[in-house]
Amino acid sequence: MATHKLLLLPGDGIGPEVMREVEKIVGWFRKRGLGFETETDLVGGSAYDAHGAAISDAAMSRAQEADAVLFGAVGGPKWDSVPYAVRPEAGLLRLRKDLGLFANLRPAICYPALADASSLKREVVEGLDIMIVRELTGGVYFGEPKEIVTLEDGSQRAVDTQLYHTHEVERIARVAFDLARKRRNKVSSAEKMNVMKTGVFWRQVVTRIHKAEFSDVELEHVLADNCAMQLVRWPKQFDVIVTDNLFGDILSDIAAMLTGSLGMLPSASLGAEDPVTGQRKALYEPVHGSAPDIAGKGLANPIAMIGSFGMALRYSFGLLDEADRLDRAIANVLASGTRTKDIAAPGANAVGTQDVGDAIVKELEAQS
Ligand code: IPM
Ligand code: MN
């Protein structure tokens, strides 16, 4: 039996609560004979409190060795004033950078049962199924210089650097085109070529890769601000959206909300395929943050976290039937009305984090 090594990094805020529900799901699959081995470590503020760093070197090497990392969420007001280099988010950024997780897949699917939970009209979001492919290890998040400098007159100047190399745009474009072929065969590439050199460059490289390798896929270019507007106006026009690190961060939050709640959107961050083993480094995380306002209260929606484990089944372990089964279980639970507060129908009783996890396990059980 193949053993799959999972590193769990619950993090801060609601991270540990939603991760506990994933552990239930992992436990269920384990009971059914799948070989999951789990280890747990600290990241974010909790790692800072224990080690003075947002992730320890030991946790980093465990991440390097794992077949997949499951990540909860990091940050919170408690760590607002810790030094910038060791702020909770630095742990996540280090994981992404050191594991080379350049491709962030953020699917936004509107479950039929949730069309009314969205702030948009039912007909706009019902049946929505889009995939945002966000470049994750480059751009303005990592470009140097990145600093605040004090000038001679005592005033200050801040700079972040938006920077992309050819191969970075090429490889993310390939991921997007590949995915589109398995979906509705359309890629929308978003940048700001009207004001940014990196935008002009992004468009050139994506166009070249399209022409050379993927001319069977429909490609459109869209300005990132217009893309944001179109996402809210008529999101079903999109299939795969490929974009840079910063625009992808913003556009995926918008897409998440189309589905009813930020608590619904999972994500996968993948590295390059190893040419020998075919394996790729991978980290799975919900798109939502640590939600300090509701942390520890058992109110958080665990579906984005559980869906992230579903993506691990699909993309890291090739367990497609199991991934489908988990997706179905989630859809059935939502349809049955078992929902946390963020997605509860008006007037309906909301349940807690653990209730949703239990209900999903029960649905998995019922399907077997
Ligand atoms: C996300 C988050 C992160 C990001 C933060 C926590 C650094 O917002 O994964 O979308 O900006 O990438
Ligand atoms: Mn974000």
Side-chain angles (χ1 to χ4, degrees), residues 196-227:
M196 296 168 77
K197 281 292 176 190
T198 48
V200 173
F201 176 69
W202 184 278
R203 193 175 283 215
Q204 281 168 0
V205 177
V206 171
T207 304
R208 183 160 46 69
I209 292 294
H210 175 248
K211 210 167 154 208
E213 301 170 31
F214 298 93
S215 56
D216 56 302
V217 180
E218 184 189 344
L219 168 66
E220 71 173 5
H221 300 283
V222 49
L223 295 174
D225 53 343
N226 183 245
C227 186

Side-chain angles (χ1 to χ4, degrees), residues 96 106 134 141 248-250 252-253 287:
R96 289 173 179 171
R106 300 191 156 187
R134 168 186 176 192
Y141 274 54
D249 182 37
I250 297 165
S252 62
D253 260 35
V287 171

Side-chain angles (χ1 to χ4, degrees), residues 121-143:
K121 295 195 192 84
R122 173 176 274 275
E123 66 263 28
V124 175
V125 295
E126 193 169 29
L128 180 74
D129 177 2
I130 60 184
M131 176 71 88
I132 298 195
V133 177
R134 168 186 176 192
E135 200 292 323
L136 202 60
T137 50
V140 75
Y141 274 54
F142 294 100

Side-chain angles (χ1 to χ4, degrees), residues 34-298:
L34 293 178
F36 288 114
E37 249 172 44
T38 58
E39 287 187 313
T40 304
D41 215 318
L42 299 172
V43 69
S46 55
Y48 174 79
D49 288 344
H51 309 295
I55 186 160
S56 67
D57 290 341
M60 273 312 301
S61 38
R62 285 172 137 181
Q64 292 281 5
E65 255 135 57
D67 295 317
V69 179
L70 297 185
F71 182 97
V74 290
K78 183 175 173 202
W79 302 284
D80 276 353
S81 52
V82 306
Y84 185 80
V86 292
R87 72 200 186 287
E89 291 78 5
L92 177 57
L93 296 178
R94 180 169 175 204
L95 280 159
R96 289 173 179 171
K97 194 67 175 176
D98 288 8
L99 299 180
L101 308 172
F102 69 92
N104 185 211
L105 277 41
R106 300 191 156 187
I109 294 170
C110 184
Y111 292 89
L114 284 193
D116 291 319
S118 172
S119 49
L120 277 80
K121 295 195 192 84
R122 173 176 274 275
E123 66 263 28
V124 175
V125 295
E126 193 169 29
L128 180 74
D129 177 2
I130 60 184
M131 176 71 88
I132 298 195
V133 177
R134 168 186 176 192
E135 200 292 323
L136 202 60
T137 50
V140 75
Y141 274 54
F142 294 100
E144 295 286 346
K146 188 178 197 61
E147 60 192 2
I148 302 174
V149 192
T150 303
L151 305 175
E152 268 172 23
D153 67 359
S155 70
Q156 290 181 301
R157 185 188 67 193
V159 52
D160 290 289
T161 304
Q162 164 83 340
L163 187 153
Y164 274 108
H165 288 102
T166 309
H167 77 275
E168 295 178 289
V169 184
E170 285 177 351
R171 65 185 181 179
I172 196 71
R174 289 193 180 104
V175 169
F177 286 124
D178 263 332
L179 278 167
R181 277 183 177 157
K182 297 178 201 133
R183 297 170 47 96
R184 298 189 303 282
N185 216 32
K186 177 177 172 189
V187 170
S188 307
S189 170
E191 28 62 12
K192 282 284 286 178
M193 58 85 81
N194 53 349
V195 285
M196 296 168 77
K197 281 292 176 190
T198 48
V200 173
F201 176 69
W202 184 278
R203 193 175 283 215
Q204 281 168 0
V205 177
V206 171
T207 304
R208 183 160 46 69
I209 292 294
H210 175 248
K211 210 167 154 208
E213 301 170 31
F214 298 93
S215 56
D216 56 302
V217 180
E218 184 189 344
L219 168 66
E220 71 173 5
H221 300 283
V222 49
L223 295 174
D225 53 343
N226 183 245
C227 186
M229 186 274 277
Q230 296 294 341
L231 269 172
V232 182
R233 190 183 70 81
W234 190 245
K236 287 186 244 181
Q237 67 186 286
F238 296 112
D239 178 17
V240 175
I241 295 173
V242 64
T243 189
D244 75 14
N245 204 344
L246 181 62
F247 295 142
D249 182 37
I250 297 165
L251 295 175
S252 62
D253 260 35
I254 298 179
M257 205 51 217
L258 302 176
T259 69
S261 165
L262 212 46
M264 294 296 300
L265 204 64
S267 90
S269 305
L270 308 175
E273 217 171 78
D274 183 305
V276 180
T277 63
Q279 299 290 315
R280 50 202 326 171
K281 292 254 187 300
L283 177 146
Y284 299 87
E285 58 169 316
V287 171
H288 64 68
S290 60
D293 51 323
I294 57 163
K297 297 185 180 159

